[in-house]
Amino acid sequence: MSVEFEIQEIILFDKMSISNSLRGGSNWGALRPSTGYAFSRIYQWSSDTADLLLGRKKPKKSKTIQKIQNFMDEVFLVVLKHCPKATVDTLLRLGKQLDPDTFARFMSDTAKFTDLIKVILACPKFIMTSQAINLIVKHRVKK
């Protein structure tokens, strides 16, 4: 038995937009910005893409938790760039204050909302808050 079908989609790996295209690769979220961890995101993308191509389901919209986590990653990367010493403090705090299950869910993109709150509470407040505000202002200015 063989199955034949014609692929009528284009897979994009850069930030261009073409109708009837599938988006993939690091430019479309395959890598976790703050860690470079990709396995769970690539697995989810390939599963969703296969389902889409086979007509089993439509692609999911980005979840609120994922958007919050992406913003948290962006804040962390800004802190890493501008305040490297604060990065060490942040990582030590996360390791000491988070239980292993919360930390694992956060790092593997399966965090619950309560996990995000725990991560926020474990981070140094002043540096993270000030960088988050700077990012929000920067994003608003771009729009």
mmCIF file of all heavy atoms in Angstrom, residues 122-141:
data_model
loop_
_atom_site.group_PDB
_atom_site.id
_atom_site.type_symbol
_atom_site.label_atom_id
_atom_site.label_comp_id
_atom_site.label_asym_id
_atom_site.label_seq_id
_atom_site.Cartn_x
_atom_site.Cartn_y
_atom_site.Cartn_z
ATOM 1 N N ALA A 122 10.956 34.667 42.007
ATOM 2 C CA ALA A 122 12.316 34.232 42.322
ATOM 3 C C ALA A 122 13.379 35.159 41.722
ATOM 4 O O ALA A 122 14.519 35.169 42.187
ATOM 5 C CB ALA A 122 12.537 32.805 41.819
ATOM 6 N N CYS A 123 13.021 35.932 40.720
ATOM 7 C CA CYS A 123 13.993 36.801 40.044
ATOM 8 C C CYS A 123 14.239 38.086 40.835
ATOM 9 O O CYS A 123 13.372 38.538 41.574
ATOM 10 C CB CYS A 123 13.479 37.166 38.651
ATOM 11 S SG CYS A 123 13.507 35.801 37.503
ATOM 12 N N PRO A 124 15.423 38.702 40.654
ATOM 13 C CA PRO A 124 15.686 39.996 41.286
ATOM 14 C C PRO A 124 14.684 41.037 40.770
ATOM 15 O O PRO A 124 14.552 41.224 39.564
ATOM 16 C CB PRO A 124 17.099 40.347 40.843
ATOM 17 C CG PRO A 124 17.680 39.117 40.263
ATOM 18 C CD PRO A 124 16.546 38.226 39.876
ATOM 19 N N LYS A 125 13.972 41.648 41.675
ATOM 20 C CA LYS A 125 12.839 42.505 41.295
ATOM 21 C C LYS A 125 13.249 43.770 40.535
ATOM 22 O O LYS A 125 12.706 44.061 39.482
ATOM 23 C CB LYS A 125 12.015 42.916 42.521
ATOM 24 C CG LYS A 125 11.581 41.772 43.404
ATOM 25 C CD LYS A 125 10.699 40.794 42.679
ATOM 26 C CE LYS A 125 10.289 39.648 43.569
ATOM 27 N NZ LYS A 125 11.246 38.572 43.711
ATOM 28 N N PHE A 126 14.206 44.522 41.071
ATOM 29 C CA PHE A 126 14.508 45.834 40.483
ATOM 30 C C PHE A 126 15.020 45.716 39.055
ATOM 31 O O PHE A 126 14.493 46.346 38.148
ATOM 32 C CB PHE A 126 15.506 46.618 41.345
ATOM 33 C CG PHE A 126 15.846 47.944 40.732
ATOM 34 C CD1 PHE A 126 14.950 49.003 40.809
ATOM 35 C CD2 PHE A 126 17.029 48.119 40.045
ATOM 36 C CE1 PHE A 126 15.245 50.224 40.218
ATOM 37 C CE2 PHE A 126 17.328 49.338 39.449
ATOM 38 C CZ PHE A 126 16.439 50.393 39.536
ATOM 39 N N ILE A 127 16.037 44.900 38.855
ATOM 40 C CA ILE A 127 16.652 44.818 37.522
ATOM 41 C C ILE A 127 15.679 44.246 36.494
ATOM 42 O O ILE A 127 15.578 44.744 35.374
ATOM 43 C CB ILE A 127 17.981 44.023 37.547
ATOM 44 C CG1 ILE A 127 18.718 44.159 36.219
ATOM 45 C CG2 ILE A 127 17.754 42.554 37.858
ATOM 46 C CD1 ILE A 127 19.351 45.481 36.009
ATOM 47 N N MET A 128 14.921 43.223 36.875
ATOM 48 C CA MET A 128 13.977 42.622 35.935
ATOM 49 C C MET A 128 12.820 43.573 35.625
ATOM 50 O O MET A 128 12.418 43.703 34.462
ATOM 51 C CB MET A 128 13.434 41.303 36.482
ATOM 52 C CG MET A 128 14.469 40.224 36.570
ATOM 53 S SD MET A 128 15.068 39.799 34.920
ATOM 54 C CE MET A 128 16.045 38.387 35.270
ATOM 55 N N THR A 129 12.295 44.227 36.638
ATOM 56 C CA THR A 129 11.186 45.157 36.426
ATOM 57 C C THR A 129 11.614 46.332 35.566
ATOM 58 O O THR A 129 10.904 46.720 34.634
ATOM 59 C CB THR A 129 10.634 45.656 37.777
ATOM 60 O OG1 THR A 129 10.247 44.533 38.562
ATOM 61 C CG2 THR A 129 9.439 46.565 37.576
ATOM 62 N N SER A 130 12.785 46.894 35.858
ATOM 63 C CA SER A 130 13.240 48.051 35.075
ATOM 64 C C SER A 130 13.483 47.662 33.615
ATOM 65 O O SER A 130 13.115 48.407 32.694
ATOM 66 C CB SER A 130 14.500 48.660 35.690
ATOM 67 O OG SER A 130 15.572 47.747 35.672
ATOM 68 N N GLN A 131 14.057 46.480 33.372
ATOM 69 C CA GLN A 131 14.291 46.051 31.995
ATOM 70 C C GLN A 131 12.985 45.697 31.287
ATOM 71 O O GLN A 131 12.839 45.932 30.090
ATOM 72 C CB GLN A 131 15.272 44.881 31.953
ATOM 73 C CG GLN A 131 16.668 45.227 32.432
ATOM 74 C CD GLN A 131 17.281 46.391 31.683
ATOM 75 O OE1 GLN A 131 17.154 46.521 30.470
ATOM 76 N NE2 GLN A 131 17.953 47.265 32.412
ATOM 77 N N ALA A 132 12.029 45.140 32.026
ATOM 78 C CA ALA A 132 10.718 44.844 31.432
ATOM 79 C C ALA A 132 10.026 46.133 31.008
ATOM 80 O O ALA A 132 9.454 46.206 29.915
ATOM 81 C CB ALA A 132 9.850 44.065 32.424
ATOM 82 N N ILE A 133 10.077 47.148 31.851
ATOM 83 C CA ILE A 133 9.471 48.450 31.507
ATOM 84 C C ILE A 133 10.157 49.039 30.288
ATOM 85 O O ILE A 133 9.491 49.542 29.375
ATOM 86 C CB ILE A 133 9.520 49.405 32.719
ATOM 87 C CG1 ILE A 133 8.567 48.910 33.805
ATOM 88 C CG2 ILE A 133 9.187 50.840 32.304
ATOM 89 C CD1 ILE A 133 8.716 49.604 35.143
ATOM 90 N N ASN A 134 11.484 48.969 30.249
ATOM 91 C CA ASN A 134 12.216 49.476 29.073
ATOM 92 C C ASN A 134 11.784 48.762 27.795
ATOM 93 O O ASN A 134 11.614 49.391 26.748
ATOM 94 C CB ASN A 134 13.725 49.310 29.267
ATOM 95 C CG ASN A 134 14.294 50.292 30.262
ATOM 96 O OD1 ASN A 134 13.691 51.309 30.567
ATOM 97 N ND2 ASN A 134 15.460 49.980 30.789
ATOM 98 N N LEU A 135 11.605 47.449 27.869
ATOM 99 C CA LEU A 135 11.173 46.692 26.689
ATOM 100 C C LEU A 135 9.760 47.080 26.257
ATOM 101 O O LEU A 135 9.492 47.210 25.060
ATOM 102 C CB LEU A 135 11.217 45.193 26.970
ATOM 103 C CG LEU A 135 12.549 44.512 26.771
ATOM 104 C CD1 LEU A 135 12.472 43.065 27.212
ATOM 105 C CD2 LEU A 135 12.991 44.587 25.320
ATOM 106 N N ILE A 136 8.869 47.234 27.220
ATOM 107 C CA ILE A 136 7.495 47.623 26.897
ATOM 108 C C ILE A 136 7.483 48.979 26.206
ATOM 109 O O ILE A 136 6.824 49.160 25.178
ATOM 110 C CB ILE A 136 6.612 47.624 28.166
ATOM 111 C CG1 ILE A 136 6.407 46.189 28.648
ATOM 112 C CG2 ILE A 136 5.274 48.313 27.900
ATOM 113 C CD1 ILE A 136 5.802 46.079 30.036
ATOM 114 N N VAL A 137 8.240 49.920 26.736
ATOM 115 C CA VAL A 137 8.323 51.260 26.128
ATOM 116 C C VAL A 137 8.916 51.159 24.727
ATOM 117 O O VAL A 137 8.413 51.765 23.776
ATOM 118 C CB VAL A 137 9.148 52.215 27.019
ATOM 119 C CG1 VAL A 137 9.476 53.507 26.293
ATOM 120 C CG2 VAL A 137 8.408 52.486 28.325
ATOM 121 N N LYS A 138 9.973 50.370 24.579
ATOM 122 C CA LYS A 138 10.616 50.186 23.275
ATOM 123 C C LYS A 138 9.658 49.607 22.252
ATOM 124 O O LYS A 138 9.587 50.054 21.109
ATOM 125 C CB LYS A 138 11.827 49.270 23.443
ATOM 126 C CG LYS A 138 12.617 49.034 22.188
ATOM 127 C CD LYS A 138 13.794 48.118 22.513
ATOM 128 C CE LYS A 138 14.428 47.576 21.266
ATOM 129 N NZ LYS A 138 15.498 46.629 21.562
ATOM 130 N N HIS A 139 8.857 48.594 22.661
ATOM 131 C CA HIS A 139 7.889 47.980 21.749
ATOM 132 C C HIS A 139 6.789 48.965 21.359
ATOM 133 O O HIS A 139 6.328 48.968 20.220
ATOM 134 C CB HIS A 139 7.266 46.725 22.363
ATOM 135 C CG HIS A 139 8.180 45.554 22.384
ATOM 136 N ND1 HIS A 139 8.695 44.996 21.235
ATOM 137 C CD2 HIS A 139 8.681 44.822 23.400
ATOM 138 C CE1 HIS A 139 9.458 43.981 21.540
ATOM 139 N NE2 HIS A 139 9.483 43.844 22.845
ATOM 140 N N ARG A 140 6.346 49.787 22.285
ATOM 141 C CA ARG A 140 5.299 50.780 21.995
ATOM 142 C C ARG A 140 5.797 51.845 21.040
ATOM 143 O O ARG A 140 5.068 52.328 20.192
ATOM 144 C CB ARG A 140 4.762 51.402 23.265
ATOM 145 C CG ARG A 140 3.977 50.425 24.106
ATOM 146 C CD ARG A 140 3.130 51.153 25.116
ATOM 147 N NE ARG A 140 2.491 50.223 26.025
ATOM 148 C CZ ARG A 140 1.303 49.691 25.805
ATOM 149 N NH1 ARG A 140 0.641 49.984 24.730
ATOM 150 N NH2 ARG A 140 0.782 48.859 26.674
ATOM 151 N N VAL A 141 7.068 52.239 21.186
ATOM 152 C CA VAL A 141 7.648 53.256 20.304
ATOM 153 C C VAL A 141 7.746 52.723 18.881
ATOM 154 O O VAL A 141 7.520 53.447 17.924
ATOM 155 C CB VAL A 141 9.033 53.706 20.827
ATOM 156 C CG1 VAL A 141 9.775 54.540 19.816
ATOM 157 C CG2 VAL A 141 8.883 54.464 22.138
#
